[in-house]
Amino acid sequence: MFVPSILLKQLYTHGSLTKTDNGISFSLKNRLKDATIKELKWISLDGEKIAPHKISLQLSTDNSVSVNELNEGPGTPFSLRQTITVHVALEQEVSPEKRKLGVCFSASPFGKLKFEVEDNVTEPSSRTTHIPRDDLDDYSETMVKKRQAYFESATGAKVNHVGKYSINPNDLKGNIEHFIGVAQVPIGIAGPLKINGEHAQGEFVVPLATTEGTLVASYNRGMKLLNMSGGVTATVVDDAMQRAPVFIFSNARGARDFVKWIKQNIDKIREEAEATSSVAKLTYIDNFLSNKFAFLRFNFRTGDAAGQNMVGRATFAACGWILDNYEGIENFYLESNFATDKKASQINIMRTRGKRVTAEATIKREHLLQVMRVDPKQIDYHGRVAAVGSFLSGVNNTGLHSPNGITAMFIATGQDVANVSESSAAMMYSELTDDGDLYVSITIPSLIVATYGGGTGIGTQRECLELIDCYGRDRVYKFAEIVASVVLAGEISLASAISSSDWVSSHEEYGRNR
């Protein structure tokens, strides 16, 4: 399996070349995929190969092997995100000068891997004044308690509620660093909400994690209203996750010609990108030329994962192949800030990031009058007035408060909450029907959600997903439809409250704890 040189170098942890009592050490971290090391062929320093008997590999806190033991064995597992510390019995002085470190080994499923990096030998850190951590086992009960004690000594306060949790810290590898405990956010439930989706069909009781009074009650009221008129119709209309590298040339013609070459070689680029994952599928590459820069916007399908890391790795592999096969590139950055990760943007509203999903319903006039004490004409007029306010403010959302419901569901179900930034964009639309009823619709163009991977498998988060039958594979479109439907319930509830002047009185009744 071909691995681009730029990707191979990522196995080395820069800044890890350290002087030790017996020589030097450095760290290798698997940033590719689960593998098995078959043979360590050689390690070199400044071009000179080091004698094998001077090398040992620390696989875990209490497991070290020599080169001979590793090479004569059946194979040593090297799982994704695992760190191996390499110890070399070779006396070296601490210096700011860069040294050339080379590594060559064979591993399944890749075959022979060889790379060279530059780093300088540094003093070992005593960490006496730093947060306690263990490079090989940082999630043990001992390390958690050490960090809690460090936090208490540093702040003069006690770790009490934070340190009480039901999850296994060892399950958090890849989710958090320097773990000391949990933040407990209250969870309420709203519903049931009837959804007529292509993937979410039936009635759902929805968990909402929040500390904002009236929020759960408001969404519950909106769900009741929507149910009376037959529920919500929800539709996922697009699906894409991006990484946007930029390639820099000597002039604009170089950038233009490069884009032509990219289009001609799209099949090979797709092959290299998709080789990094069994899930990621490269659908197309947008290109944008400016000055002497070629911006490429790689668009992927990512299955049930949100996929930012997945597409980053896939795009990095594809770019590695591009760099190895196209001459004239003067510089390259994996992310140009054009994917607008964790930022609201017009391009994601227009082109989709995550899931593009619409929720819509027609609400009977008598139901609005009965439950919300408001006439459809009042809400429709209020919506047109608010559209002017939206235009004047330049906001990315013509609705009222979709991030409220999205955030509450994100926290409850283990989503990356920072993605609310992109997911906050929404287009709200309403119209009066010939019968005097109210049609309402909201489109969320960049809803970034997952039902597998990331934080979705942790304790309460997995539990909340399971409560709405959305944990695991082949569930993400269902979850997206539920989120959009919940958002619509919140929109109609708040719109009714403002239009009927119930907004302040509701907060006075439910939202004060003073």
Side-chain angles (χ1 to χ4, degrees):
M1 181 186 295
F2 172 74
V3 182
S5 57
I6 191 173
L7 194 59
L8 264 181
K9 292 180 181 181
Q10 297 299 309
L11 293 171
Y12 176 75
T13 302
H14 283 273
S16 67
L17 187 57
T18 306
K19 181 179 175 61
T20 66
D21 293 338
N22 299 316
I24 56 174
S25 69
F26 61 90
S27 295
L28 301 175
K29 184 174 182 178
N30 187 349
R31 297 177 173 89
L32 300 174
K33 62 189 297 185
D34 289 341
T36 301
I37 299 176
K38 296 295 187 180
E39 180 185 4
L40 178 61
K41 295 182 178 296
W42 49 260
I43 290 175
S44 66
L45 187 65
D46 296 330
E48 295 290 330
K49 292 183 179 178
I50 300 166
H53 71 272
K54 293 186 176 183
I55 304 169
S56 64
L57 290 82
Q58 189 171 353
L59 307 177
S60 63
T61 305
D62 53 1
N63 184 15
S64 294
V65 297
S66 66
V67 173
N68 286 339
E69 289 173 329
L70 183 143
N71 291 349
E72 293 173 2
T76 300
F78 191 23
S79 59
L80 182 64
R81 292 190 291 272
Q82 180 183 344
T83 296
I84 292 177
T85 302
V86 180
H87 295 278
V88 180
L90 193 67
E91 189 65 31
Q92 297 292 314
E93 295 301 319
V94 172
S95 171
E97 297 298 323
K98 295 290 184 181
R99 310 292 296 275
K100 289 185 178 180
L101 186 67
V103 178
C104 182
F105 63 100
S106 63
S108 175
F110 303 107
K112 182 180 177 180
L113 301 175
K114 181 175 68 173
F115 63 89
E116 188 176 74
V117 295
E118 290 188 347
D119 207 351
N120 63 298
V121 181
T122 60
E123 288 279 6
S125 173
S126 64
R127 288 183 178 158
T128 54
T129 58
H130 293 76
I131 296 173
R133 67 185 303 270
D134 184 333
D135 290 334
L136 300 174
D137 187 10
D138 203 39
Y139 296 86
S140 65
E141 184 179 351
T142 299
M143 288 310 303
V144 174
K145 289 187 179 301
K146 281 185 178 180
R147 279 192 292 271
Q148 290 175 347
Y150 167 82
F151 192 40
E152 290 179 342
S153 65
T155 62
K158 294 293 291 182
V159 172
N160 186 13
H161 295 287
V162 167
K164 297 174 182 176
Y165 48 85
S166 59
I167 54 179
N168 182 352
N170 285 296
D171 293 337
L172 300 177
K173 294 175 182 177
N175 290 114
I176 194 168
E177 301 76 42
H178 301 162
F179 174 76
I180 66 164
V182 298
Q184 300 180 71
V185 182
I187 296 177
I189 55 173
L193 172 60
K194 184 178 180 181
I195 302 175
N196 309 306
E198 292 177 304
H199 305 273
Q201 298 175 353
E203 294 188 341
F204 298 88
V205 177
V206 180
L208 300 170
T210 183
T211 56
E212 180 185 348
T214 75
L215 187 142
V216 175
S218 177
Y219 278 85
N220 196 64
R221 185 173 78 148
M223 292 175 187
K224 175 184 177 181
L225 174 66
L226 291 171
N227 288 345
M228 293 173 69
S229 295
V232 182
T233 299
T235 310
V236 177
V237 297
D238 199 7
D239 182 0
M241 180 49 66
Q242 295 80 24
R243 187 58 61 206
V246 59
F247 295 82
I248 302 170
F249 297 85
S250 59
N251 55 46
R253 292 177 186 174
R256 177 199 64 190
D257 294 344
F258 170 73
V259 167
K260 291 180 181 177
W261 183 86
I262 290 293
K263 293 177 180 178
Q264 293 166 357
N265 289 273
I266 182 63
D267 290 339
K268 181 60 178 175
I269 293 169
R270 178 177 287 111
E271 178 185 331
E272 294 297 326
E274 294 180 359
T276 64
S277 169
S278 61
V279 176
K281 301 299 177 186
L282 178 60
T283 53
Y284 64 97
I285 302 175
D286 276 330
N287 64 85
F288 302 86
L289 293 170
S290 180
N291 307 94
K292 58 180 182 177
F293 310 133
F295 294 87
L296 301 183
R297 201 164 183 264
F298 283 66
N299 292 266
F300 292 85
R301 295 284 178 94
T302 59
D304 293 284
Q308 289 101 318
N309 293 334
M310 183 192 302
V311 304
R313 185 166 62 249
T315 305
F316 192 58
C319 289
W321 182 85
I322 292 169
L323 292 167
D324 285 347
N325 288 275
Y326 191 88
E327 295 182 0
I329 299 170
E330 293 191 342
N331 209 340
F332 152 80
Y333 298 99
L334 179 61
E335 180 51 62
S336 62
N337 214 20
F338 202 21
T340 68
D341 199 6
K342 310 292 173 69
K343 296 174 286 291
S345 67
Q346 190 63 32
I347 192 168
N348 287 338
I349 291 175
M350 299 298 293
R351 301 290 284 160
T352 301
R353 181 169 169 84
K355 310 297 183 279
R356 192 180 197 93
V357 56
T358 294
E360 54 195 335
T362 299
I363 305 170
K364 295 288 187 181
R365 179 175 182 271
E366 59 265 30
H367 296 157
L368 268 171
L369 288 169
Q370 176 185 343
V371 178
M372 301 296 190
R373 298 188 300 279
V374 64
D375 191 279
K377 291 181 179 179
Q378 292 175 265
I379 294 180
D380 180 64
Y381 181 71
H382 172 222
R384 284 184 278 123
V385 172
V388 177
S390 298
F391 172 77
L392 290 173
S393 68
V395 74
N396 70 339
N397 191 324
T398 61
L400 293 168
H401 70 144
S402 63
N404 256 337
I406 293 171
T407 304
M409 289 196 71
F410 274 22
I411 294 173
T413 59
Q415 310 300 311
D416 186 338
V417 183
N419 286 330
V420 172
S421 178
E422 295 118 296
S423 302
S424 67
M427 288 81 80
M428 186 71 182
Y429 172 76
S430 68
E431 66 183 27
L432 293 174
T433 71
D434 292 340
D435 295 328
D437 300 328
L438 182 70
Y439 168 82
V440 289
S441 169
I442 192 161
T443 292
I444 306 173
S446 46
L447 180 65
I448 302 175
V449 290
T451 57
Y452 189 79
T456 61
I458 300 171
T460 58
Q461 289 83 355
R462 174 171 177 168
E463 215 169 84
C464 285
L465 279 171
E466 289 175 337
L467 287 169
I468 52 176
D469 190 31
C470 282
Y471 176 74
R473 298 186 185 277
D474 302 321
R475 294 287 192 278
V476 73
Y477 285 0
K478 178 179 183 179
F479 184 59
E481 290 180 347
I482 294 173
V483 173
S485 300
V486 170
V487 165
L488 186 65
E491 292 296 297
I492 190 61
S493 180
L494 182 55
S496 299
I498 296 174
S499 298
S500 65
S501 301
D502 279 347
W503 188 23
V504 174
S505 60
S506 296
H507 271 270
E508 286 295 315
E509 181 177 355
Y510 296 107
R512 293 173 64 91
N513 60 4
R514 298 181 295 279

